[in-house]
Amino acid sequence: MNTPTSLHILVIEDDLRMVELLRTGLCEHAHSVVTATTAEQGQQLVDSENFDAIVLDIGLPGRSGYTIAQHLRTRPNRPAIVMLTALNQEDNIVCGLDAGADDYLTKPFSFPELIARLGSAARRARIAATDDFCFGPFRLDTANRRLLCNRIEIHITRSEYLLLRSLALHRGEVVSRRQLMQAVWGTTIISHGALDTLVNTLREKLNAEQLGLITTARGLGYTLVEDADL
Ligand code: CA
C-alpha cells in the first residue's frame, strides 16, 4: 500500500493530536509535511507554496474545510485533496466532493488506507493536469472541466463537456452514437434525438460549423477532426 513517490503534503486539521499523528505517519512514508490548524492559515499556505496533496479536515473552527476546496477548484495544477470527515456525515462528504475534493476518509481511518488514497489522488491530479486536449483555438481543461478558446472560457454544460471529451479522446475517428450516448448519459435510456440536439448546441457554442470542427458520419456517429483538416 506504500507509495514510492515522495509527496509534499499540507495537513489542515485543528485537532493537535491528529496533526502530530498525521505528521509522524506521513514523514515515516518519506512525505514532507506542512501543517495548518485553520482554513485561513491553510489558504495562505496553498497560495504561497506548491503542494502535491492536501489532507483536509472538514470540521475546522471558523471557516470550514470546504472553502479550501472551493478556493482551489479552478486552479490549474491544483493539489489533490483528501478530506477527513467524522463518521456518518454523508452530507459533508457530498458537499466536499462537490466543492472539488478528490476523495475522503471517515475518522477513525486506517493509516495505510490514507497513504494509498493520497498516492492515487495525487497521481490522478498529475495526470489530469497534463491531460488537456487542444484542438484549433480550443483547449479542453480536463482538471477543471472547462473549455477555453484563446484562453477565454466558453461555458459548457456537464453533458457538453462529456461529449466533447469523448470526441477528443478519439480525435480523428468516428465515435459511434452508442459510445457517445454512453459517455454522456451512462446507462440511462435516452432518445437518439437527444444526442443530435446536444451535438448541435455544442457546435453552436464552438462555432464548429464554420470551423468544420465536428463532422457527422450519418447514422454512425460524429468526429472531432484533426487540426490538419481544419
Ligand atoms: Ca476538526
Side-chain angles (χ1 to χ4, degrees):
M1 297 291 267
N2 198 350
T3 166
T5 314
S6 170
L7 302 173
H8 189 44
I9 298 174
L10 173 62
V11 170
I12 309 177
E13 163 67 81
D14 61 314
D15 177 343
L16 295 179
R17 275 178 316 174
M18 181 65 90
V19 170
E20 275 325 297
L21 187 86
L22 286 165
R23 188 206 298 279
T24 310
L26 292 170
C27 289
E28 275 171 11
H29 284 82
H31 298 312
S32 58
V33 177
V34 176
T35 63
T37 53
T38 64
E40 287 78 4
Q41 241 180 39
Q43 185 160 323
Q44 278 174 10
L45 283 163
V46 295
D47 287 341
S48 57
E49 257 182 74
N50 285 323
F51 295 97
D52 300 303
I54 301 177
V55 178
L56 180 63
D57 179 33
I58 290 301
L60 294 167
R63 279 163 48 195
S64 88
Y66 303 132
T67 56
I68 298 282
Q70 273 162 347
H71 177 68
L72 287 173
R73 180 142 81 175
T74 54
R75 186 181 295 186
N77 303 329
R78 67 179 183 81
I81 301 175
V82 175
M83 295 183 294
L84 299 179
T85 70
L87 258 184
N88 299 324
Q89 300 203 318
E90 278 158 24
D91 288 354
N92 282 359
I93 294 166
V94 172
C95 290
L97 294 175
D98 276 352
D102 300 283
D103 205 348
Y104 68 91
L105 281 173
T106 49
K107 295 176 183 175
F109 56 87
S110 95
F111 217 88
E113 190 170 5
L114 174 65
I115 296 291
R117 299 262 182 122
L118 275 172
S120 54
R123 229 174 1 256
R124 283 198 306 270
R126 264 199 305 276
I127 291 168
T130 55
D131 203 17
D132 289 355
F133 295 103
C134 295
F135 43 95
F138 301 101
R139 183 162 71 87
L140 190 64
D141 166 4
T142 57
N144 303 299
R145 297 191 160 208
R146 292 192 314 160
L147 176 66
L148 305 169
C149 179
N150 297 323
R151 293 172 175 247
I152 295 165
E153 181 167 2
I154 298 177
H155 177 73
I156 52 173
T157 64
R158 179 176 178 275
S159 302
E160 289 160 356
Y161 169 81
L162 293 171
L163 174 71
L164 193 51
R165 185 167 185 276
S166 184
L167 288 168
L169 270 170
H170 306 277
R171 196 150 178 217
E173 301 164 22
V174 176
V175 189
S176 76
R177 301 180 62 87
R178 177 203 283 261
Q179 220 175 325
L180 290 170
M181 289 167 83
Q182 214 157 43
V184 177
W185 292 286
T187 53
T188 309
I189 309 231
I190 214 92
S191 78
H192 274 257
L195 177 63
D196 302 310
T197 306
L198 187 64
V199 170
N200 286 335
T201 52
L202 184 63
R203 276 176 166 157
E204 268 169 42
K205 285 189 185 178
L206 268 59
N207 199 13
E209 212 83 70
Q210 248 125 326
L211 294 171
L213 200 60
I214 300 173
T215 57
T216 310
R218 201 157 291 283
L220 297 175
Y222 292 96
T223 303
L224 180 66
V225 302
E226 301 274 11
D227 270 348
D229 299 326
L230 285 179

